[in-house]
Amino acid sequence: MEFSTGFGWTRLPVLAAVFIFGSALTVSAQIIPPFSPGPAAAPDEEAEAAEAPDVNDPDVMKGIDVDKLDWSQLAIDAGTLNDIIAAKKRAQAAANSGLNWSSNANANGSSAVTVKQSVFEFWDTRIGADMTVTSEPRTMSELLAQKAANGGSLPQSSGSAWATATAPGAGSIWDKTAVEARVDPGSEQSKLGASLTKSVPLSGDTSLTLQNGYSVNQHGTTAVPGIGGHITRNYETDQTAKVTITDTGTSISAGQSLSTTDDKWLRKVGAEQKLFDNVTVSGSVGETSQGTINKSVTAGFKKSW
């Protein structure tokens, strides 16, 4: 929609200010001061001088015919306003659906590069790649520095491609289904996993989340003519229960996992506490296949903008 006037949109704010100022002066002139007996007080000359317009002030109405102004173009109905908001949302969604790149420098001189793109918004389906990019040393000093940071060898570039999707659950059985696939050609590894999540409110500020995960890890290459292949697969399953207290920012979890390489369930318990905005501290204690106990305490900061 195009708007056109004889004077341009840049003067509308000035006209509105003049109109409001003139209305205020008219209302002030119609107010009758209360009767006060006795001699009339002398007017405040400084106030009158401040309120009186200066003849040297520019005439903002010069060259403008007020009778020809089209004030109807300032009226926007609710339908038009909704169309404008919807157009802005579509433009934002189109911008978010493009490729999203991010890069972080590693201590060994390489860079961690991540690229992702949304391909289906309904199920939040995304595809992407995680890459480690190294740069060729240009001088002998850079070559020695990279070898010293990587144990005497130069870092190698690598990468993996992945795809994720989040789908609805199955009625009252579970709430959300998440599927993830990842392929790493450099290390000849691939993974296909799925998790089922169910959330149950316990009280006003406490909830219980149950999650079952299943994954298949494959390592090796397939056979091609003239070259034999060797493939090994590892099947894993895990079960986790997590209680979250919203008011205090505390969550406690307990779970267990089992894989075809282990002969028993490995149990794990953990807790997470939110200290303040975007900062959390978490700790966990879990069993290992070697029979030892694995303990860890971590602190994290997360900020989105």
Side-chain angles (χ1 to χ4, degrees):
M1 180 181 294
E2 295 183 357
F3 301 95
S4 62
T5 60
F7 55 92
W9 280 97
T10 57
R11 298 185 181 181
L12 281 180
V14 178
L15 291 177
V18 172
F19 180 75
I20 297 173
F21 183 70
S23 301
L25 291 179
T26 304
V27 174
S28 301
Q30 293 179 354
I31 299 177
I32 301 176
F35 174 75
S36 177
D44 191 348
E45 297 179 357
E46 295 181 357
E48 289 183 356
E51 295 178 359
D54 191 353
V55 294
N56 296 324
D57 292 341
D59 187 6
V60 296
M61 298 296 294
K62 183 178 180 180
I64 298 176
D65 189 355
V66 181
D67 297 334
K68 296 182 179 180
L69 297 181
D70 186 8
W71 296 98
S72 63
Q73 300 201 27
L74 293 178
I76 301 178
D77 57 2
T80 305
L81 184 60
N82 292 335
D83 293 340
I84 295 175
I85 296 175
K88 290 184 177 180
K89 289 183 177 179
R90 288 193 298 268
Q92 184 177 4
N96 294 335
S97 63
L99 289 175
N100 185 4
W101 292 82
S102 63
S103 176
N104 295 315
N106 297 326
N108 61 358
S110 62
S111 299
V113 180
T114 300
V115 56
K116 58 184 178 180
Q117 182 180 14
S118 176
V119 295
F120 191 42
E121 296 182 1
F122 180 71
W123 277 6
D124 192 17
T125 305
R126 300 174 183 271
I127 58 175
D130 298 330
M131 298 169 285
T132 300
V133 181
T134 60
S135 59
E136 293 293 333
R138 293 170 294 181
T139 61
M140 182 58 67
S141 59
E142 291 183 0
L143 176 63
L144 295 177
Q146 289 186 10
K147 285 187 175 182
N150 294 273
S153 61
L154 290 176
Q156 300 296 323
S157 298
S158 60
S160 61
W162 52 265
T164 61
T166 302
S172 60
I173 302 176
W174 69 85
D175 300 331
K176 183 177 66 174
T177 304
V179 180
E180 178 184 3
R182 181 177 292 270
V183 178
D184 188 349
S187 59
E188 299 179 348
Q189 292 184 354
S190 60
K191 178 181 179 180
L192 176 62
S195 63
L196 311 177
T197 305
K198 174 67 174 179
S199 296
V200 180
L202 301 179
S203 63
D205 60 345
T206 306
S207 61
L208 172 64
T209 302
L210 303 176
Q211 179 174 312
N212 289 342
Y214 310 91
S215 64
V216 179
N217 296 276
Q218 179 175 295
H219 181 75
T221 58
T222 58
V224 296
I227 301 177
H230 179 70
I231 297 177
T232 59
R233 293 185 177 90
N234 180 28
Y235 299 88
E236 296 181 358
T237 180
D238 62 85
Q239 303 171 353
T240 305
K242 182 178 180 180
V243 177
T244 303
I245 305 175
T246 307
D247 290 347
T248 61
T250 306
S251 60
I252 302 172
S253 62
Q256 58 182 1
S257 62
L258 178 65
S259 66
T260 53
T261 58
D262 301 325
D263 56 353
K264 62 177 181 179
W265 286 91
L266 301 179
R267 296 171 177 81
K268 180 180 179 179
V269 294
E272 181 177 302
Q273 177 63 51
K274 182 178 179 181
L275 300 181
F276 44 88
D277 290 343
N278 306 318
V279 177
T280 59
V281 175
S282 59
S284 63
V285 178
E287 299 176 337
T288 63
S289 57
Q290 293 79 15
T292 59
I293 301 299
N294 183 21
K295 303 177 183 179
S296 66
V297 177
T298 59
F301 174 81
K302 183 177 181 181
K303 179 67 174 178
S304 300
W305 61 87

